[in-house]
């Protein structure tokens, strides 16, 4: 259903699908936790690298992005659709990371770095494909840069569908 449609939109926009672990180290999960909550701990983890269940798909995607950057890949577009574990229990989510150029290199003009509006355009495309009329409102999210974050809502739905924005540089630097 919707997972397939979302995958088609993201791959059509030039993103590659990633599959990351549902287990994380506690420090990697902390910035992505809901306020006043803790990550779901694994009772008997194999190591501290796999101590908690991911509260978001973003920590794994950020690490995958860092892995690619260490191999001198500058322009990265990755997404994942999978499970995340919050205070409400297990749920499905989709997330993507985009780093580097917003467009393919061309001889007639220099490329420019991806910005908020490029990302918003991808989210608009996903919403259009699944029949949602998105509304964006400024948001304060701990892992996103203040003033460069928006909450995604749909008419008639009281809870936010998601967030869009630029990751806080400290998180990016901490993950390499």
């Amino acid at each position: 259903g919707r997972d397939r449609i979302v995958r088609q939109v993201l791959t059509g926009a030039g993103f590659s699908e990633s599959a990351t672990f549902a287990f994380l180290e506690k420090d990697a999960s902390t910035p992505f936790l809901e306020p006043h909550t803790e990550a779901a701990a694994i009772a008997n983890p194999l190591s501290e690298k796999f101590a908690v269940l991911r509260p978001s798909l973003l920590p794994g995607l950020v690490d995958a992005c860092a892995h690619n950057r260490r191999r001198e890949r500058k322009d990265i577009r990755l997404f994942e659709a999978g499970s995340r574990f919050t205070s409400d229990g297990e749920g499905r989510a989709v997330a993507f990371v985009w780093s580097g150029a917003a467009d393919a290199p061309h001889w007639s003009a220099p490329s420019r770095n991806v910005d908020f509006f490029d990302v918003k355009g991808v989210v608009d495309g996903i919403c259009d494909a699944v029949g949602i009329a998105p509304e964006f409102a400024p948001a304060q999210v701990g892992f996103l840069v203040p003033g460069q974050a928006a909450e995604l809502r749909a008419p008639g739905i009281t809870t936010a569908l998601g967030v869009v924005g630029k990751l806080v540089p400290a998180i990016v630097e901490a993950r390499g």
Side-chain angles (χ1 to χ4, degrees), residues 7 10-19 61 64 68 73 75-81 95-97:
R7 281 183 171 94
L10 287 166
T11 55
F15 287 79
S16 297
E17 188 165 9
S18 182
L61 287 172
N68 280 277
R73 178 102 193 256
D75 304 327
I76 302 163
R77 295 183 194 192
L78 297 173
F79 79 92
E80 182 171 7
F96 65 90
V97 293

Side-chain angles (χ1 to χ4, degrees), residues 20-31:
T20 64
F21 290 113
F23 307 122
L24 301 171
E25 56 190 295
K26 188 174 183 177
D27 289 346
S29 72
T30 302

Side-chain angles (χ1 to χ4, degrees), residues 10 31-33 47 83 98 100 113 120-121 126 135 141 163 173:
L10 287 166
F32 301 96
L33 291 169
S47 76
S83 295
W98 190 351
N113 285 334
K120 181 185 175 295
I126 293 169
E135 297 174 356
V141 181
V163 294
E173 290 165 12

Side-chain angles (χ1 to χ4, degrees), residues 97-116:
V97 293
W98 190 351
S99 173
D103 45 14
H106 193 269
W107 65 268
S108 67
S111 64
R112 64 176 179 77
N113 285 334
V114 63
D115 64 20
F116 176 84

